[in-house]
Amino acid sequence: MLDANPRPTLPNAAGIGYKARHFAELTADPGPVGWLEIHAENYMGDGGRPIAQLKALADRFPVSVHGVGLSIGGEGALDRYHLLRLRKLCDWLQPASFSEHLAWSTHDTGYLNDLLPLPYTEATLTRVARHIDEVQDALGRRMLLENPSSYLAFAESDRSEPEFLAEIARRTGCGLLLDVNNVFISATNLGFEPRAYIDAFPLDAVGEIHLGGHDEDEDDQGRPLLIDSHGRAVVDPVWALYEYTIGKSGPRPTLIEWDNDVPDFPTLRAEAARAAAILEGVPA
Amino acid sequence: MTQDAFATALLDATTPHPASLLNPFGGPAAKRFDVYRNNVAVSLTEALETGFPVLVKLLGSEFFRAMAGVFLRAHPPEDPRLMFYGRRLPGFLADFAPVKHLPYLPDIAKLELGLRQSYHAADTTPLDLTGLDPAAVLDLRPRMAPASLVVRSSYPIFDIWWANTKGQGQKVGHSAQTVLITRPGYDPAPHLLPIGGFDFARTLKGRVTLSEAMATTLAREPGADVASLLTLFVQTSALTLTPEPTT
């Protein structure tokens, strides 16, 4: 368990996932964009343009480092070299936040580049909590853990995802990153009520919210199967679930995630403006 | 369910998914598991397409994707830094029977890997000879900048690269070519190295003086124009006096 973090935190404003192609427009006129999120793994080179741009951006915006490759849910040990790379990045950048996923992605065979699912059991809980302790010790900071998007269920799961995440936060002192789009996707794919999930979620632990777009497909029996693609605008039911969530939690730093088929900057800025308008309507 | 079983089924479409993965509505979960299979294959294929644009042109998109599907299953990334994914592609291509008739492909892959390595390499100040006395220049001990590297080939890889990026339809020769990659500022660029260039670059790795490097190069390649080589290396920002980090 770590002590309260003395570093600056993310503002309760709208942020965007940073894309290099937006550098010039973003720095010329960020509009409602109050902070940026980067994928840690894209900034693990030794130098060159990515690092130079990140240094320039960090002078102007609070930055959230979002890891996608640490495999916190992996059955094996955490990759110590990857943890060292994360520490190096956090040490020089001093980001306002560090977050990772409740998922696994690395196996003996290598890195699989997807956020793979976990059964919610005591064994998983013990392992994930141990890995989060390691991460928080190595980075010397509190981290946020993000809820996944789910496409299937596990026979061995014996507790709900909000229960699982609440217990992880209680045991490790970590915060949570609530991806509202992921809640909507999982609710559709697994057949639960999204507002009931939010009602059961430990909102006090939420340090950041994600909003993103998803694709629509069908399963073997023709039921809707939503895919977490981050490749389009946030849909209205997800905006509604977001309003419901921050109506209960109060305002939280809110990120627009758009990683594939990346739009022009004005489109992204308009999504951020919509989130900012909702945030401003919520009493702190 | 173990992650072992999950990972095996993920990479091998002939293996059924683990039985404890359920469709929560009952019934088959195959299409649901396929979301993960698809994410892995598509995202890694896209990473390879981004990293090897000239190979995509040479092989055609459809063939490249099929080849990538075989490669990514044999050699998934060794770590999560996808910007370095594909280091095993040159060796894979050398043994990949369907491209045996294109023996220059592994060296093109090395060239594209080199450009990416250069892009992410550490920043240093390029050697600048402005205002220096010529005698003093010869006593300098520069090193190859971290963003500089050499790819030697038995094939005209510079011509092939150029014809598929800058000079559409340009004629490709038949001679062996050695390429120097450097990064003035933030954008790496390849340069065709004349005779002796490979030896000059290799000699400079030994932290010798420029006069020693030129003498060694001449001893190995009597036909080398070492003054022109020095000019080329300086003008392309290949060299630096910035010390290597101690860590």
Side-chain angles (χ1 to χ4, degrees):
Chain A
M1 186 79 107
L2 293 177
D3 293 327
N5 191 337
R7 292 188 184 85
T9 50
L10 293 176
N12 285 330
I16 57 168
Y18 170 65
K19 297 288 171 253
R21 75 191 68 176
H22 297 144
F23 182 81
E25 286 172 288
L26 171 68
T27 48
D29 178 17
V33 176
W35 56 280
L36 303 174
E37 187 157 282
I38 57 148
H39 285 178
E41 286 71 14
N42 293 340
Y43 297 88
M44 289 181 172
D46 292 325
R49 182 177 285 115
I51 305 286
Q53 283 191 338
L54 182 54
K55 280 182 176 158
L57 292 167
D59 287 341
R60 295 195 44 184
F61 299 92
V63 175
S64 159
V65 170
H66 191 49
V68 299
L70 193 54
S71 199
I72 280 178
E75 284 172 354
L78 289 182
D79 178 344
R80 287 179 54 246
Y81 296 104
H82 199 63
L83 202 46
L84 285 172
R85 289 191 283 264
L86 281 171
R87 189 169 80 183
K88 183 180 163 195
L89 176 61
C90 288
D91 279 353
W92 74 256
L93 183 61
Q94 290 296 314
S97 173
F98 172 75
S99 51
E100 252 284 357
H101 299 83
L102 177 59
W104 62 283
S105 51
T106 297
H107 190 59
D108 303 338
T109 45
Y111 173 66
L112 298 161
N113 199 36
D114 195 24
L115 298 166
L116 301 168
L118 293 162
Y120 298 138
T121 64
E122 191 59 33
T124 309
L125 191 66
T126 304
R127 187 172 75 236
V128 170
R130 191 176 67 235
H131 285 166
I132 289 175
D133 286 341
E134 270 183 63
V135 175
Q136 295 189 132
D137 285 347
L139 301 184
R141 61 164 65 230
R142 181 182 190 232
M143 65 165 281
L144 307 179
L145 186 69
E146 178 176 346
N147 60 300
S149 50
S150 299
Y151 306 109
L152 37 71
F154 286 83
E156 54 267 61
S157 283
D158 57 17
R159 63 202 74 190
S160 76
E161 192 170 281
E163 285 173 316
F164 185 92
L165 284 164
E167 182 59 14
I168 289 280
R170 194 191 66 75
R171 285 195 197 177
T172 65
C174 79
L176 300 173
L177 195 173
L178 177 55
D179 188 317
V180 173
N181 181 50
N182 285 357
V183 173
F184 185 78
I185 288 171
S186 298
T188 305
N189 292 346
L190 304 188
F192 62 78
E193 169 55 46
R195 292 191 179 201
Y197 181 105
I198 299 296
D199 292 342
F201 204 84
L203 295 174
D204 286 348
V206 173
E208 181 183 339
I209 289 177
H210 274 184
L211 296 173
H214 56 254
D215 292 345
E216 295 178 7
D217 201 349
E218 288 182 350
D219 78 354
D220 307 75
Q221 294 165 310
R223 283 202 181 78
L225 185 63
L226 303 185
I227 316 284
D228 186 23
S229 63
H230 297 175
R232 57 185 65 209
V234 180
V235 298
D236 285 340
V238 171
W239 283 114
L241 188 60
Y242 170 60
E243 288 198 59
Y244 178 79
T245 302
I246 62 168
K248 297 192 69 166
S249 68
R252 290 288 193 277
T254 302
L255 183 85
I256 303 295
E257 273 192 309
W258 200 323
D259 297 320
N260 297 301
D261 295 325
V262 176
D264 59 15
F265 185 65
T267 305
L268 199 54
R269 197 168 51 193
E271 289 278 280
R274 187 165 174 182
I278 295 171
L279 274 171
E280 280 161 18
V282 174
Chain B
M1 185 216 72
T2 63
Q3 290 177 0
D4 208 28
F6 195 106
T8 302
L10 202 55
L11 292 175
D12 180 0
T14 63
T15 306
H17 64 76
S20 66
L21 300 177
L22 306 177
N23 179 339
F25 301 97
K31 268 196 81 173
R32 292 163 175 269
F33 187 73
D34 283 348
V35 174
Y36 297 105
R37 272 188 179 140
N38 191 53
N39 283 350
V40 172
V42 170
S43 69
L44 293 180
T45 299
E46 284 174 355
L48 293 167
E49 286 174 322
T50 304
F52 298 96
V54 171
L55 285 184
V56 172
K57 273 197 137 181
L58 289 169
L59 293 171
S61 234
E62 201 179 334
F63 186 93
F64 184 92
R65 282 182 195 165
M67 182 277 298
V70 179
F71 175 75
L72 69 91
R73 287 171 175 84
H75 305 288
E78 287 157 46
D79 73 51
R81 294 171 301 170
L82 284 192
M83 58 201 186
F84 297 131
Y85 184 40
R87 276 188 279 218
R88 290 168 178 266
L89 191 59
F92 171 85
L93 286 169
D95 294 333
F96 191 50
V99 295
K100 271 278 190 270
H101 60 295
L102 306 171
Y104 51 83
L105 288 181
D107 290 345
I108 296 291
K110 283 181 196 167
L111 179 52
E112 299 207 279
L113 279 170
L115 288 166
R116 258 195 289 162
Q117 188 185 324
S118 174
Y119 184 76
H120 292 287
D123 306 298
T124 49
T125 309
L127 172 64
D128 181 1
L129 303 182
T130 313
L132 286 182
D133 177 66
V137 167
L138 292 179
D139 285 339
L140 294 175
R141 293 174 187 270
R143 64 181 173 116
M144 291 284 279
S148 305
L149 58 133
V150 171
V151 181
R152 185 153 74 156
S153 178
S154 306
Y155 302 96
I157 57 168
F158 181 82
D159 286 359
I160 294 169
W161 185 87
W162 191 267
N164 286 282
T165 50
K166 316 271 185 194
Q168 295 292 343
Q170 181 170 314
K171 264 185 88 173
V172 174
H174 297 283
S175 56
Q177 290 182 329
T178 298
V179 174
L180 170 68
I181 295 169
T182 68
R183 197 188 82 202
Y186 294 132
D187 294 304
H191 314 276
L192 181 59
L193 271 184
I195 184 167
F198 178 80
D199 294 293
F200 190 60
R202 192 168 58 171
T203 308
L204 282 167
K205 286 187 178 167
R207 306 305 303 277
V208 297
T209 64
L210 282 174
S211 101
E212 287 166 328
M214 290 162 88
T216 305
T217 302
L218 269 179
R220 288 188 184 146
E221 282 288 357
D225 178 348
V226 289
S228 298
L229 278 174
L230 176 57
T231 304
L232 174 68
F233 276 62
V234 171
Q235 284 178 347
T236 59
S237 303
L239 304 177
T240 183
L241 292 169
T242 307
E244 281 181 68
T246 45
T247 50

